[in-house]
Amino acid sequence: MERLDKIISATGKKSRREVKEMVRQGRILVNGKMAAADMKIDPQQAEILLDGVPLAYEEFTYIMLHKPAGVLSAVEDRRQKTVLDLLPPELQKRGLSPVGRLDKDTEGLLLLTNDGNLTHKLLSPKYHVDKVYYARVEGCLETSDIEAFAAGMVLGDGLVCLPAGLEILSDHEALVTLQEGKFHQVKRMLACRGKPVQYLKRLRMGPLILDEKLPCGAFRPLRTEEIEGLRTECSIDRMTKNRQ
Ligand code: URA
């Protein structure tokens, strides 16, 4: 049994304050009756209607963050701001972790979830999930760089990279597609080609595309179709429940 405001805010769709306000306005029904924010219910059994629309119980929370530069992709750090610090308290308590790290100076798509199974599969090279980055580099990108990426590079320190995609957008800009995520991998691969990265932003992870309406530093819960897209990508059984 959990408090109603906690159940709803844990989805990332409404803050606890918003839930309290909706309850006050009589916009939430639980099993057909007007709700109270502090009522305790079994989220798997109760029917919760927000403005008449069912809120399905979600075991896990999935958040899309537009990561800004200057914050760590970590859950906590004693000195520096982390991506978890960008979320409200009710989401900070959900046990969310970033799915793959972005460097402190890298911006863009960061998925945060407490679904460990999905996290593992999205990151494992076995599931071939593309991660697409926009990179701006020093030096002029050339066809030979595309060929080197496609062949699978061996970096100076012996790191063997899987074949990767490089799509040149202009002399100094490219889209890089990886199916793995080794430490500083995009930067190291481009540096190895003599094209050090000046700016890096992740745009996509499998079917999940950074929402261009999401300002840098902002977050939103994933939509049902986005969660299902990720699960399908990793061959996890599709969810059958209707979701708000
Ligand atoms: N590759 C990098 O070099 N940095 C990132 O943040 C992500 C991928």
Side-chain angles (χ1 to χ4, degrees):
M1 303 285 270
E2 269 189 278
R3 278 176 62 119
L4 177 72
D5 53 355
K6 211 170 153 195
I7 293 167
I8 300 176
S9 62
T11 63
K13 291 172 184 159
K14 300 271 178 266
S15 69
R16 264 173 118 152
R17 204 157 49 80
E18 286 170 323
V19 175
K20 288 202 175 98
E21 186 55 21
M22 289 181 82
V23 163
R24 208 182 55 73
Q25 295 168 343
R27 292 163 57 197
I28 306 185
L29 296 183
V30 174
N31 298 330
K33 299 209 180 91
M34 213 82 101
D38 60 354
M39 72 193 292
K40 287 200 166 175
I41 54 173
D42 177 350
Q44 299 205 53
Q45 301 297 331
E47 185 197 45
I48 304 171
L49 298 182
L50 303 190
D51 291 330
V53 182
L55 178 91
Y57 172 68
E58 292 180 15
E59 190 181 357
F60 300 114
T61 304
Y62 304 89
I63 300 293
M64 176 191 293
L65 173 72
H66 186 162
K67 180 192 173 297
V71 291
L72 296 182
S73 297
V75 171
E76 57 182 0
D77 190 89
R78 282 197 295 155
R79 287 188 203 90
Q80 301 189 61
K81 196 167 171 176
T82 74
V83 288
L84 260 284
D85 295 325
L86 301 175
L87 303 182
E90 58 264 24
L91 285 177
Q92 288 181 6
K93 293 182 205 126
R94 293 292 295 171
L96 303 175
S97 300
V99 179
R101 284 165 185 263
L102 292 178
D103 297 335
K104 188 174 172 189
D105 61 353
T106 301
E107 295 183 353
L109 174 65
L110 191 64
L111 172 63
L112 294 148
T113 184
N114 44 12
D115 182 345
N117 184 29
L118 183 71
T119 299
H120 167 73
K121 291 181 170 168
L122 288 171
L123 297 179
S124 164
K126 267 199 291 183
Y127 289 84
H128 304 287
V129 178
D130 285 344
K131 286 94 188 170
V132 181
Y133 299 85
Y134 164 85
R136 208 166 47 234
V137 300
E138 275 172 44
C140 249
L141 292 156
E142 299 156 290
T143 315
S144 58
D145 298 322
I146 301 176
E147 289 158 3
F149 270 55
M153 292 174 61
V154 181
L155 305 186
D157 57 5
L159 180 77
V160 179
C161 302
L162 291 174
L166 183 74
E167 185 188 334
I168 298 177
L169 302 174
S170 74
D171 283 354
H172 308 289
E173 295 168 298
L175 294 179
V176 175
T177 303
L178 303 183
Q179 292 187 343
E180 55 183 346
K182 304 219 166 81
F183 188 58
H184 295 329
Q185 188 166 350
V186 174
K187 291 178 185 162
R188 287 160 78 193
M189 288 173 80
L190 284 163
C192 184
R193 300 292 308 164
K195 322 281 155 74
V197 169
Q198 289 178 323
Y199 173 80
L200 191 61
K201 177 174 182 174
R202 183 155 64 196
L203 303 177
R204 181 162 78 78
M205 179 179 264
L208 186 66
I209 297 170
L210 178 64
D211 187 337
E212 56 188 29
K213 294 202 198 86
L214 202 59
C216 199
F219 71 91
R220 68 158 173 80
L222 291 202
R223 303 190 179 107
T224 305
E225 323 78 79
E226 291 172 328
I227 301 170
E228 291 196 348
L230 289 172
R231 293 171 72 95
T232 304
E233 181 85 2
C234 302
S235 314
I236 300 174
D237 288 342
R238 286 168 69 85
M239 294 171 291
T240 49
K241 286 182 182 170
N242 290 327
R243 289 213 158 86
Q244 174 152 336

